[in-house]
Amino acid sequence: MRYDRPELLERLAAEYVLGTLRAAARRRFERLYRASAAVQARVHRWEDDLGGLSTGLAPVQPAPRAWAGIQQRLFGVAAAPARRRWRPALVAALVGVALLVGLLVREQQRTRLETLAVLGPDPAHALWRVERPRELTSLTLRTVGRVALAPDKAYELWALPRGGKPVSLGVLPVRGTLQRELSGTQSAALLAADKLAVSVEPPGGSPTGAPTGPIVIVVPVASAAPG
Amino acid sequence: MSQGDRSGADNAALEALLERCARQDRGAFETLYVRVAPTLLAVLMQMLRRRELAEDVLQDVFVKVWQQAGQFDAIRGRALAWLISIARYRAIDVQRRARPMLVLGEPELEGEPQLQVADPAEGGGARSALLHCLELIAAPQRRCLVLAYGEGLTHEEIARTVGEPLGTVKSWVRRSLQALRSCLEP
């Protein structure tokens, strides 16, 4: 590729900073950056201009282990910031106590499940009850009716976020109770969902990530936000 | 540089700390960490999603910052932009290596990228100029830019996320960047 056209150089600099260059093009451009002050100037200008998108984020406090890891890697010291060595230990102890109390409280709350939705072709014929802990990190799927299904089919549960695409919550059990951990995507989709749906899929669930078979149940979710 | 007073002062203070880091001053390094690690971790969390991974990458970033604090030409007058860029580029490299996870695992991304509302008291003129210029770009195109910058998505991932053809997304990104440049420097 010829890099001496200013428009091309400008576009590459912009897309390098944006992050949309492919890996190989990215490496090539980095070599160019190291070799040319003109390229550096263009890159820096884009970094300065777009940087405003980063500074608007709410700061996140790193865990103490991050600093300890940096110290370890650079200076080979166990941990402990240069100043007052007792302070991190005290802070860690206090954080530990707070965490323990928090965990105990949360554990109590976590064990309590709320019904998120009852799935069935109509309210008189419930087939599954979908329950959630207070923190939406898992779902408990209880079979409460007789589920009839051909052996080469499966029922798959979907969250329908308002205005978004269905997000799979996995295959429903045919009998018994199943607890399923949720990924961040699934939790987020559930938080945004106003409906749950069930579709008929091949065993193991939809191969495409979207419903492929007929949707047989759609029920409203009252509110998935923790109350 | 046309940044406002506060970010200008911040940059000067950060630059002074980096200069001391270049002279192997570990106390300055710790002060720098306390000042900017939360900002950089926010950037990394947005791109990498997982806290543990983001904190691992944060360590890589500060190791690099310590080693490269002597690059005065790249840092002068723009210490925060330099620090943020180190974090973003490191996150992009890590993301691209972990690519199969994205392709196999997640059909959709969590949440939507948010364009932060300008706070005139914060960030100075450069940031509000950027937000003003971004607002002039049509929403679907702007969304592509924010997804690329904020979350480090590739053209292909953006195309999947917004449900537009790859070619459309590529030309949207290219034209939005041109529009941004001419708005920022008329």
Side-chain angles (χ1 to χ4, degrees):
Chain A
M1 200 184 295
R2 289 164 55 87
Y3 292 115
D4 48 3
R5 280 167 40 214
E7 323 85 71
L8 176 62
L9 209 52
E10 178 68 9
R11 179 165 76 75
L12 288 173
E15 298 227 14
Y16 173 77
V17 173
L18 194 65
T20 44
L21 289 189
R22 287 171 162 282
R26 206 167 169 76
R27 294 285 96 83
R28 278 200 302 275
F29 190 79
E30 274 165 359
R31 282 198 293 277
L32 199 63
Y33 170 90
R34 284 194 289 274
S36 156
V39 173
Q40 287 164 22
R42 285 180 195 273
V43 167
H44 293 171
R45 195 175 52 175
W46 277 108
E47 288 175 351
D48 294 345
D49 287 340
L50 293 174
L53 282 173
S54 297
T55 51
L57 299 172
V60 181
Q61 280 301 330
R65 72 161 190 100
W67 175 246
I70 294 163
Q71 296 268 295
Q72 177 67 43
R73 280 167 62 181
L74 280 175
F75 315 122
V77 294
R83 300 164 213 159
R84 295 183 197 149
R85 283 164 199 283
W86 57 269
R87 209 166 52 185
L90 181 63
V91 169
L94 286 175
V95 167
V97 170
L99 273 179
L100 193 62
V101 172
L103 279 179
L104 287 173
V105 171
R106 262 178 47 190
E107 197 49 46
Q108 278 185 325
Q109 288 170 342
R110 183 175 297 159
T111 47
R112 219 178 50 219
L113 295 176
E114 296 158 24
T115 299
L116 190 66
V118 176
L119 307 172
D122 59 72
H125 296 90
L127 293 176
W128 294 277
R129 192 160 70 237
V130 181
E131 295 171 340
R132 52 164 293 190
R134 187 180 160 78
E135 271 183 44
L136 198 44
T137 53
S138 65
L139 285 182
T140 301
L141 308 165
R142 279 181 214 285
T143 315
V144 294
R146 262 197 63 147
V147 179
L149 192 64
D152 59 340
K153 298 284 179 204
Y155 285 123
E156 186 162 358
L157 181 64
W158 303 88
L160 305 183
R162 263 165 241 132
K165 292 185 196 138
V167 172
S168 174
L169 301 174
V171 171
L172 286 160
V174 178
R175 66 185 74 82
T177 299
L178 183 71
Q179 188 180 340
R180 175 162 295 136
E181 298 300 315
L182 296 175
S183 71
T185 308
Q186 291 172 323
S187 296
L190 261 177
L191 284 171
D194 50 2
K195 292 192 182 79
L196 292 182
V198 177
S199 68
V200 180
E201 302 292 341
S206 160
T208 66
T212 59
I215 292 192
V216 289
I217 296 173
V218 178
V219 295
V221 179
S223 167
Chain B
M1 181 164 286
S2 63
Q3 295 208 340
D5 288 334
R6 207 189 120 193
S7 63
D10 275 0
N11 265 327
L14 294 176
E15 194 174 326
L17 286 171
L18 283 166
E19 275 173 24
R20 285 167 57 197
C21 289
R23 297 195 302 268
Q24 308 292 304
D25 181 339
R26 294 187 193 181
F29 186 52
E30 189 186 349
T31 308
L32 181 77
Y33 179 84
V34 170
R35 285 259 190 104
V36 295
T39 302
L40 299 185
L41 185 56
V43 171
L44 294 171
M45 291 270 290
Q46 194 187 21
M47 297 177 78
L48 299 167
R49 303 283 167 168
R50 284 166 39 217
R51 181 167 187 125
E52 202 175 329
L53 178 62
E55 284 187 341
D56 285 348
V57 174
L58 184 72
Q59 296 187 29
D60 298 346
V61 169
F62 273 88
V63 167
K64 204 162 181 182
V65 165
W66 175 259
Q67 289 162 347
Q68 303 192 346
Q71 296 188 349
F72 302 119
D73 285 344
I75 296 169
R76 192 166 298 123
R78 52 188 302 278
L80 186 58
W82 182 76
L83 289 161
I84 287 172
S85 298
I86 289 184
R88 286 190 64 250
Y89 298 154
R90 179 70 196 145
I92 287 171
D93 286 344
V94 168
Q95 251 178 347
R96 304 287 147 97
R97 259 200 334 241
R99 173 68 55 75
M101 193 180 70
L102 253 175
V103 172
L104 294 176
E106 321 282 55
E108 294 261 320
L109 286 151
E110 299 168 38
E112 281 286 296
Q114 294 297 319
L115 236 178
Q116 304 287 324
V117 179
D119 176 356
E122 192 193 309
R127 180 148 181 266
S128 43
L130 167 71
L131 293 171
H132 165 73
C133 289
L134 277 172
E135 296 231 42
L136 299 180
I137 299 172
Q141 283 88 327
R142 181 172 65 215
R143 182 159 179 246
C144 295
L145 275 194
V146 176
L147 280 169
Y149 183 86
E151 311 203 2
L153 298 195
T154 61
H155 285 129
E156 287 80 3
E157 288 161 347
I158 297 170
R160 271 207 304 278
T161 305
V162 302
E164 296 286 345
L166 179 60
T168 306
V169 164
K170 281 187 177 174
S171 75
W172 276 1
V173 166
R174 186 184 311 175
R175 273 189 252 142
S176 304
L177 285 168
Q178 283 167 354
L180 207 54
R181 173 53 63 226
S182 41
C183 171
L184 288 166
E185 283 161 39

PDB file of all heavy atoms in Angstrom, chain A residues 81-107:
ATOM      1  N   PRO A  81       2.435  -0.459  48.812  1.00  0.00           N
ATOM      2  CA  PRO A  81       2.902   0.793  48.238  1.00  0.00           C
ATOM      3  C   PRO A  81       4.094   1.315  49.034  1.00  0.00           C
ATOM      4  O   PRO A  81       4.289   0.937  50.187  1.00  0.00           O
ATOM      5  CB  PRO A  81       1.704   1.737  48.404  1.00  0.00           C
ATOM      6  CG  PRO A  81       0.532   0.868  48.691  1.00  0.00           C
ATOM      7  CD  PRO A  81       1.045  -0.410  49.243  1.00  0.00           C
ATOM      8  N   ALA A  82       4.846   2.194  48.419  1.00  0.00           N
ATOM      9  CA  ALA A  82       6.070   2.686  49.038  1.00  0.00           C
ATOM     10  C   ALA A  82       5.812   3.315  50.410  1.00  0.00           C
ATOM     11  O   ALA A  82       6.578   3.129  51.335  1.00  0.00           O
ATOM     12  CB  ALA A  82       6.729   3.705  48.117  1.00  0.00           C
ATOM     13  N   ARG A  83       4.693   4.046  50.503  1.00  0.00           N
ATOM     14  CA  ARG A  83       4.421   4.699  51.792  1.00  0.00           C
ATOM     15  C   ARG A  83       3.695   3.753  52.729  1.00  0.00           C
ATOM     16  O   ARG A  83       3.210   2.712  52.319  1.00  0.00           O
ATOM     17  CB  ARG A  83       3.546   5.924  51.579  1.00  0.00           C
ATOM     18  CG  ARG A  83       4.185   6.943  50.673  1.00  0.00           C
ATOM     19  CD  ARG A  83       3.124   7.904  50.195  1.00  0.00           C
ATOM     20  NE  ARG A  83       3.433   8.347  48.849  1.00  0.00           N
ATOM     21  CZ  ARG A  83       2.537   8.856  48.026  1.00  0.00           C
ATOM     22  NH1 ARG A  83       1.287   8.953  48.401  1.00  0.00           N
ATOM     23  NH2 ARG A  83       2.888   9.238  46.827  1.00  0.00           N
ATOM     24  N   ARG A  84       3.604   4.168  53.966  1.00  0.00           N
ATOM     25  CA  ARG A  84       2.849   3.499  55.034  1.00  0.00           C
ATOM     26  C   ARG A  84       2.374   2.094  54.701  1.00  0.00           C
ATOM     27  O   ARG A  84       1.318   1.889  54.137  1.00  0.00           O
ATOM     28  CB  ARG A  84       1.620   4.348  55.378  1.00  0.00           C
ATOM     29  CG  ARG A  84       2.038   5.667  55.954  1.00  0.00           C
ATOM     30  CD  ARG A  84       0.805   6.441  56.334  1.00  0.00           C
ATOM     31  NE  ARG A  84       1.167   7.833  56.493  1.00  0.00           N
ATOM     32  CZ  ARG A  84       0.358   8.835  56.241  1.00  0.00           C
ATOM     33  NH1 ARG A  84      -0.855   8.604  55.843  1.00  0.00           N
ATOM     34  NH2 ARG A  84       0.770  10.058  56.407  1.00  0.00           N
ATOM     35  N   ARG A  85       3.155   1.140  55.120  1.00  0.00           N
ATOM     36  CA  ARG A  85       2.828  -0.232  54.762  1.00  0.00           C
ATOM     37  C   ARG A  85       1.622  -0.784  55.503  1.00  0.00           C
ATOM     38  O   ARG A  85       0.994  -1.720  55.063  1.00  0.00           O
ATOM     39  CB  ARG A  85       4.034  -1.130  55.029  1.00  0.00           C
ATOM     40  CG  ARG A  85       5.078  -0.975  53.974  1.00  0.00           C
ATOM     41  CD  ARG A  85       6.409  -1.529  54.409  1.00  0.00           C
ATOM     42  NE  ARG A  85       7.464  -0.976  53.590  1.00  0.00           N
ATOM     43  CZ  ARG A  85       7.718  -1.383  52.359  1.00  0.00           C
ATOM     44  NH1 ARG A  85       7.010  -2.331  51.829  1.00  0.00           N
ATOM     45  NH2 ARG A  85       8.685  -0.837  51.663  1.00  0.00           N
ATOM     46  N   TRP A  86       1.320  -0.194  56.677  1.00  0.00           N
ATOM     47  CA  TRP A  86       0.200  -0.752  57.440  1.00  0.00           C
ATOM     48  C   TRP A  86      -1.134  -0.442  56.795  1.00  0.00           C
ATOM     49  O   TRP A  86      -2.098  -1.151  56.949  1.00  0.00           O
ATOM     50  CB  TRP A  86       0.200  -0.242  58.882  1.00  0.00           C
ATOM     51  CG  TRP A  86       0.157   1.256  58.978  1.00  0.00           C
ATOM     52  CD1 TRP A  86       1.217   2.102  59.031  1.00  0.00           C
ATOM     53  CD2 TRP A  86      -1.002   2.077  58.988  1.00  0.00           C
ATOM     54  NE1 TRP A  86       0.801   3.392  59.075  1.00  0.00           N
ATOM     55  CE2 TRP A  86      -0.568   3.414  59.050  1.00  0.00           C
ATOM     56  CE3 TRP A  86      -2.381   1.820  58.948  1.00  0.00           C
ATOM     57  CZ2 TRP A  86      -1.450   4.484  59.063  1.00  0.00           C
ATOM     58  CZ3 TRP A  86      -3.251   2.896  58.976  1.00  0.00           C
ATOM     59  CH2 TRP A  86      -2.779   4.211  59.039  1.00  0.00           C
ATOM     60  N   ARG A  87      -1.184   0.655  56.009  1.00  0.00           N
ATOM     61  CA  ARG A  87      -2.483   1.125  55.539  1.00  0.00           C
ATOM     62  C   ARG A  87      -3.193   0.111  54.630  1.00  0.00           C
ATOM     63  O   ARG A  87      -4.355  -0.203  54.860  1.00  0.00           O
ATOM     64  CB  ARG A  87      -2.342   2.466  54.852  1.00  0.00           C
ATOM     65  CG  ARG A  87      -3.601   3.287  54.984  1.00  0.00           C
ATOM     66  CD  ARG A  87      -3.363   4.718  54.603  1.00  0.00           C
ATOM     67  NE  ARG A  87      -2.740   4.834  53.305  1.00  0.00           N
ATOM     68  CZ  ARG A  87      -2.340   5.980  52.776  1.00  0.00           C
ATOM     69  NH1 ARG A  87      -2.485   7.085  53.439  1.00  0.00           N
ATOM     70  NH2 ARG A  87      -1.782   6.012  51.587  1.00  0.00           N
ATOM     71  N   PRO A  88      -2.499  -0.426  53.630  1.00  0.00           N
ATOM     72  CA  PRO A  88      -3.204  -1.390  52.766  1.00  0.00           C
ATOM     73  C   PRO A  88      -3.729  -2.582  53.550  1.00  0.00           C
ATOM     74  O   PRO A  88      -4.822  -3.068  53.280  1.00  0.00           O
ATOM     75  CB  PRO A  88      -2.133  -1.824  51.773  1.00  0.00           C
ATOM     76  CG  PRO A  88      -1.102  -0.765  51.806  1.00  0.00           C
ATOM     77  CD  PRO A  88      -1.127  -0.179  53.178  1.00  0.00           C
ATOM     78  N   ALA A  89      -2.951  -3.023  54.555  1.00  0.00           N
ATOM     79  CA  ALA A  89      -3.375  -4.191  55.327  1.00  0.00           C
ATOM     80  C   ALA A  89      -4.665  -3.870  56.080  1.00  0.00           C
ATOM     81  O   ALA A  89      -5.610  -4.660  56.087  1.00  0.00           O
ATOM     82  CB  ALA A  89      -2.275  -4.583  56.313  1.00  0.00           C
ATOM     83  N   LEU A  90      -4.689  -2.663  56.672  1.00  0.00           N
ATOM     84  CA  LEU A  90      -5.883  -2.266  57.424  1.00  0.00           C
ATOM     85  C   LEU A  90      -7.075  -2.157  56.474  1.00  0.00           C
ATOM     86  O   LEU A  90      -8.158  -2.677  56.749  1.00  0.00           O
ATOM     87  CB  LEU A  90      -5.624  -0.927  58.117  1.00  0.00           C
ATOM     88  CG  LEU A  90      -6.792  -0.399  58.960  1.00  0.00           C
ATOM     89  CD1 LEU A  90      -7.064  -1.363  60.106  1.00  0.00           C
ATOM     90  CD2 LEU A  90      -6.486   0.993  59.495  1.00  0.00           C
ATOM     91  N   VAL A  91      -6.831  -1.483  55.357  1.00  0.00           N
ATOM     92  CA  VAL A  91      -7.914  -1.315  54.377  1.00  0.00           C
ATOM     93  C   VAL A  91      -8.404  -2.684  53.916  1.00  0.00           C
ATOM     94  O   VAL A  91      -9.601  -2.951  53.884  1.00  0.00           O
ATOM     95  CB  VAL A  91      -7.431  -0.479  53.164  1.00  0.00           C
ATOM     96  CG1 VAL A  91      -8.453  -0.534  52.048  1.00  0.00           C
ATOM     97  CG2 VAL A  91      -7.192   0.961  53.603  1.00  0.00           C
ATOM     98  N   ALA A  92      -7.449  -3.574  53.658  1.00  0.00           N
ATOM     99  CA  ALA A  92      -7.823  -4.907  53.186  1.00  0.00           C
ATOM    100  C   ALA A  92      -8.664  -5.620  54.231  1.00  0.00           C
ATOM    101  O   ALA A  92      -9.665  -6.262  53.919  1.00  0.00           O
ATOM    102  CB  ALA A  92      -6.571  -5.724  52.870  1.00  0.00           C
ATOM    103  N   ALA A  93      -8.272  -5.467  55.525  1.00  0.00           N
ATOM    104  CA  ALA A  93      -9.019  -6.125  56.592  1.00  0.00           C
ATOM    105  C   ALA A  93     -10.434  -5.574  56.659  1.00  0.00           C
ATOM    106  O   ALA A  93     -11.413  -6.323  56.748  1.00  0.00           O
ATOM    107  CB  ALA A  93      -8.311  -5.932  57.930  1.00  0.00           C
ATOM    108  N   LEU A  94     -10.541  -4.233  56.577  1.00  0.00           N
ATOM    109  CA  LEU A  94     -11.872  -3.612  56.643  1.00  0.00           C
ATOM    110  C   LEU A  94     -12.721  -4.041  55.453  1.00  0.00           C
ATOM    111  O   LEU A  94     -13.896  -4.369  55.595  1.00  0.00           O
ATOM    112  CB  LEU A  94     -11.740  -2.085  56.676  1.00  0.00           C
ATOM    113  CG  LEU A  94     -11.261  -1.527  58.008  1.00  0.00           C
ATOM    114  CD1 LEU A  94     -11.052  -0.018  57.908  1.00  0.00           C
ATOM    115  CD2 LEU A  94     -12.262  -1.843  59.118  1.00  0.00           C
ATOM    116  N   VAL A  95     -12.086  -4.026  54.284  1.00  0.00           N
ATOM    117  CA  VAL A  95     -12.814  -4.457  53.079  1.00  0.00           C
ATOM    118  C   VAL A  95     -13.271  -5.899  53.251  1.00  0.00           C
ATOM    119  O   VAL A  95     -14.390  -6.263  52.915  1.00  0.00           O
ATOM    120  CB  VAL A  95     -11.927  -4.301  51.828  1.00  0.00           C
ATOM    121  CG1 VAL A  95     -12.537  -5.022  50.632  1.00  0.00           C
ATOM    122  CG2 VAL A  95     -11.729  -2.829  51.498  1.00  0.00           C
ATOM    123  N   GLY A  96     -12.390  -6.714  53.850  1.00  0.00           N
ATOM    124  CA  GLY A  96     -12.729  -8.111  54.078  1.00  0.00           C
ATOM    125  C   GLY A  96     -13.957  -8.253  54.952  1.00  0.00           C
ATOM    126  O   GLY A  96     -14.885  -8.989  54.628  1.00  0.00           O
ATOM    127  N   VAL A  97     -13.981  -7.499  56.061  1.00  0.00           N
ATOM    128  CA  VAL A  97     -15.136  -7.554  56.964  1.00  0.00           C
ATOM    129  C   VAL A  97     -16.386  -7.103  56.220  1.00  0.00           C
ATOM    130  O   VAL A  97     -17.431  -7.761  56.269  1.00  0.00           O
ATOM    131  CB  VAL A  97     -14.890  -6.662  58.204  1.00  0.00           C
ATOM    132  CG1 VAL A  97     -16.181  -6.519  59.013  1.00  0.00           C
ATOM    133  CG2 VAL A  97     -13.784  -7.268  59.056  1.00  0.00           C
ATOM    134  N   ALA A  98     -16.269  -5.971  55.508  1.00  0.00           N
ATOM    135  CA  ALA A  98     -17.424  -5.430  54.791  1.00  0.00           C
ATOM    136  C   ALA A  98     -17.927  -6.453  53.769  1.00  0.00           C
ATOM    137  O   ALA A  98     -19.128  -6.684  53.628  1.00  0.00           O
ATOM    138  CB  ALA A  98     -17.054  -4.126  54.100  1.00  0.00           C
ATOM    139  N   LEU A  99     -16.989  -7.083  53.061  1.00  0.00           N
ATOM    140  CA  LEU A  99     -17.360  -8.072  52.046  1.00  0.00           C
ATOM    141  C   LEU A  99     -18.103  -9.240  52.677  1.00  0.00           C
ATOM    142  O   LEU A  99     -19.097  -9.719  52.148  1.00  0.00           O
ATOM    143  CB  LEU A  99     -16.110  -8.605  51.341  1.00  0.00           C
ATOM    144  CG  LEU A  99     -15.626  -7.801  50.150  1.00  0.00           C
ATOM    145  CD1 LEU A  99     -14.376  -8.447  49.580  1.00  0.00           C
ATOM    146  CD2 LEU A  99     -16.712  -7.738  49.084  1.00  0.00           C
ATOM    147  N   LEU A 100     -17.583  -9.670  53.849  1.00  0.00           N
ATOM    148  CA  LEU A 100     -18.174 -10.820  54.522  1.00  0.00           C
ATOM    149  C   LEU A 100     -19.610 -10.498  54.912  1.00  0.00           C
ATOM    150  O   LEU A 100     -20.539 -11.274  54.649  1.00  0.00           O
ATOM    151  CB  LEU A 100     -17.347 -11.145  55.770  1.00  0.00           C
ATOM    152  CG  LEU A 100     -17.638 -12.493  56.404  1.00  0.00           C
ATOM    153  CD1 LEU A 100     -17.302 -13.601  55.415  1.00  0.00           C
ATOM    154  CD2 LEU A 100     -16.823 -12.660  57.675  1.00  0.00           C
ATOM    155  N   VAL A 101     -19.788  -9.304  55.526  1.00  0.00           N
ATOM    156  CA  VAL A 101     -21.149  -8.888  55.908  1.00  0.00           C
ATOM    157  C   VAL A 101     -22.022  -8.829  54.662  1.00  0.00           C
ATOM    158  O   VAL A 101     -23.132  -9.364  54.628  1.00  0.00           O
ATOM    159  CB  VAL A 101     -21.115  -7.510  56.619  1.00  0.00           C
ATOM    160  CG1 VAL A 101     -22.521  -6.990  56.823  1.00  0.00           C
ATOM    161  CG2 VAL A 101     -20.385  -7.647  57.947  1.00  0.00           C
ATOM    162  N   GLY A 102     -21.476  -8.186  53.611  1.00  0.00           N
ATOM    163  CA  GLY A 102     -22.223  -8.061  52.361  1.00  0.00           C
ATOM    164  C   GLY A 102     -22.612  -9.420  51.799  1.00  0.00           C
ATOM    165  O   GLY A 102     -23.745  -9.639  51.388  1.00  0.00           O
ATOM    166  N   LEU A 103     -21.664 -10.351  51.852  1.00  0.00           N
ATOM    167  CA  LEU A 103     -21.917 -11.686  51.298  1.00  0.00           C
ATOM    168  C   LEU A 103     -23.017 -12.396  52.074  1.00  0.00           C
ATOM    169  O   LEU A 103     -23.887 -13.035  51.503  1.00  0.00           O
ATOM    170  CB  LEU A 103     -20.643 -12.524  51.333  1.00  0.00           C
ATOM    171  CG  LEU A 103     -19.660 -12.262  50.204  1.00  0.00           C
ATOM    172  CD1 LEU A 103     -18.430 -13.137  50.376  1.00  0.00           C
ATOM    173  CD2 LEU A 103     -20.305 -12.542  48.857  1.00  0.00           C
ATOM    174  N   LEU A 104     -22.955 -12.246  53.424  1.00  0.00           N
ATOM    175  CA  LEU A 104     -23.972 -12.902  54.259  1.00  0.00           C
ATOM    176  C   LEU A 104     -25.355 -12.357  53.926  1.00  0.00           C
ATOM    177  O   LEU A 104     -26.303 -13.107  53.724  1.00  0.00           O
ATOM    178  CB  LEU A 104     -23.657 -12.681  55.748  1.00  0.00           C
ATOM    179  CG  LEU A 104     -22.466 -13.486  56.262  1.00  0.00           C
ATOM    180  CD1 LEU A 104     -22.122 -13.076  57.679  1.00  0.00           C
ATOM    181  CD2 LEU A 104     -22.775 -14.983  56.196  1.00  0.00           C
ATOM    182  N   VAL A 105     -25.425 -11.000  53.838  1.00  0.00           N
ATOM    183  CA  VAL A 105     -26.706 -10.379  53.511  1.00  0.00           C
ATOM    184  C   VAL A 105     -27.174 -10.839  52.146  1.00  0.00           C
ATOM    185  O   VAL A 105     -28.317 -11.240  51.953  1.00  0.00           O
ATOM    186  CB  VAL A 105     -26.577  -8.838  53.554  1.00  0.00           C
ATOM    187  CG1 VAL A 105     -27.836  -8.193  53.011  1.00  0.00           C
ATOM    188  CG2 VAL A 105     -26.317  -8.379  54.980  1.00  0.00           C
ATOM    189  N   ARG A 106     -26.221 -10.828  51.201  1.00  0.00           N
ATOM    190  CA  ARG A 106     -26.592 -11.180  49.829  1.00  0.00           C
ATOM    191  C   ARG A 106     -27.007 -12.630  49.727  1.00  0.00           C
ATOM    192  O   ARG A 106     -27.908 -12.981  48.980  1.00  0.00           O
ATOM    193  CB  ARG A 106     -25.437 -10.903  48.881  1.00  0.00           C
ATOM    194  CG  ARG A 106     -25.627  -9.575  48.201  1.00  0.00           C
ATOM    195  CD  ARG A 106     -24.498  -9.233  47.289  1.00  0.00           C
ATOM    196  NE  ARG A 106     -24.095 -10.322  46.408  1.00  0.00           N
ATOM    197  CZ  ARG A 106     -23.009 -10.266  45.678  1.00  0.00           C
ATOM    198  NH1 ARG A 106     -22.244  -9.218  45.724  1.00  0.00           N
ATOM    199  NH2 ARG A 106     -22.676 -11.257  44.895  1.00  0.00           N
ATOM    200  N   GLU A 107     -26.298 -13.481  50.498  1.00  0.00           N
ATOM    201  CA  GLU A 107     -26.600 -14.899  50.431  1.00  0.00           C
ATOM    202  C   GLU A 107     -28.052 -15.141  50.844  1.00  0.00           C
ATOM    203  O   GLU A 107     -28.774 -15.918  50.239  1.00  0.00           O
ATOM    204  CB  GLU A 107     -25.644 -15.671  51.356  1.00  0.00           C
ATOM    205  CG  GLU A 107     -25.581 -17.149  51.079  1.00  0.00           C
ATOM    206  CD  GLU A 107     -25.375 -17.455  49.601  1.00  0.00           C
ATOM    207  OE1 GLU A 107     -24.505 -16.824  48.985  1.00  0.00           O
ATOM    208  OE2 GLU A 107     -26.108 -18.307  49.065  1.00  0.00           O
TER     209      GLU A 107
END
